[in-house]
Amino acid sequence: MLHIVDDEAVVRDALTWLATSRAIPARAYESGAQFLQQVGDFDAAGDCVLLDVRMPDMNGVAVFDQLLTRGLAQRMPVIFLTGHGDVPMAVDTLKRGAFDFFEKPFNDNQLMDRVQEALANSRRAGDTAAVHARLATLSTREREVLDLILAGKMNKVVADQLGISMRTVEVHRAHIFDKMQVKTAVELAGLLK
């Protein structure tokens, strides 16, 4: 989902049209405060924000700061749009994690290409976060078994190294595969590479 935050209705409408012309679902907000009120209502993975720098009430940099504070900037890349930007502002926001910075008027194709790249990054970040969340559900013993499985050890060797029965290793292995949502050790290794 592309989130368009701009105080100008014409810009919001044009950007929404551009996004939908590339089959990118879009939602528009007329203020940063309106966007931030709704940001908790959706999963940020697979999302991107087009954010105007100058808006009344709360400017785009303040909205970006809120996203950073909430830990959403990685899973929800921000592309700034401005007609009043300057080099120090662009450098500062990019150093702090903004995905890109465009000056109005901008090239439609270049902007939408960057939006698609940002959306792909967001999906990857969401996938990585999901894998880490699944890893966090593993017990200490399951983590030990996991490490040995990833090292290519057979159940018998894992059992000998950990001082447990082969049947216990098989149970841990089944729990690991279930929690990590995989069917084979190869699939598990691919997930964790």
Side-chain angles (χ1 to χ4, degrees):
M1 171 75 68
L2 175 62
H3 301 277
I4 301 162
V5 186
D6 198 302
D7 61 324
E8 295 180 48
V10 170
V11 174
R12 288 192 310 270
D13 292 345
L15 290 170
T16 300
W17 180 85
L18 274 174
T20 54
S21 72
R22 289 222 186 169
I24 300 170
R27 184 181 295 166
Y29 308 85
E30 62 187 47
S31 72
Q34 181 189 31
F35 168 69
L36 288 172
Q37 286 173 347
Q38 296 181 25
V39 77
D41 295 343
F42 46 83
D43 178 23
D47 288 5
C48 171
V49 181
L50 284 179
L51 187 56
D52 188 17
V53 172
R54 284 201 179 170
M55 296 181 288
D57 299 328
M58 178 181 260
N59 69 34
V61 176
V63 173
F64 180 60
D65 289 340
Q66 283 292 314
L67 291 174
L68 287 171
T69 300
R70 295 179 188 186
L72 294 173
Q74 283 293 337
R75 290 185 11 226
M76 186 180 282
V78 172
I79 298 174
F80 280 101
L81 299 174
T82 186
H84 309 283
D86 55 37
V87 172
M89 179 191 304
V91 169
D92 177 59
T93 56
L94 291 170
K95 279 184 178 179
R96 293 188 308 128
F99 192 78
D100 211 334
F101 199 99
F102 279 81
E103 281 192 279
K104 297 175 187 173
F106 47 82
N107 178 295
D108 298 352
N109 288 326
Q110 288 176 342
L111 176 63
M112 286 299 114
D113 288 346
R114 288 300 281 165
V115 164
Q116 288 181 312
E117 290 173 31
L119 290 167
N121 281 2
S122 179
R123 282 188 291 277
R124 280 191 298 275
D127 292 346
T128 300
V131 168
H132 287 295
R134 286 181 277 183
L135 277 172
T137 66
L138 299 179
S139 69
T140 303
R141 180 60 85 178
E142 289 169 343
R143 284 301 297 245
E144 292 171 343
V145 171
L146 171 69
D147 291 340
L148 293 171
I149 290 171
L150 292 176
K153 307 291 183 187
M154 303 303 282
N155 287 354
K156 183 175 178 11
V157 175
V158 172
D160 287 343
Q161 285 189 347
L162 297 178
I164 56 179
S165 73
M166 241 178 74
R167 177 66 186 134
T168 302
V169 172
E170 291 168 357
V171 168
H172 285 309
R173 188 180 183 106
H175 287 160
I176 292 166
F177 285 13
D178 185 49
K179 289 178 180 180
M180 297 304 295
Q181 301 172 4
V182 297
K183 291 182 174 37
T184 67
V186 172
E187 194 177 346
L188 180 64
L191 183 66
L192 297 176
K193 67 176 177 180

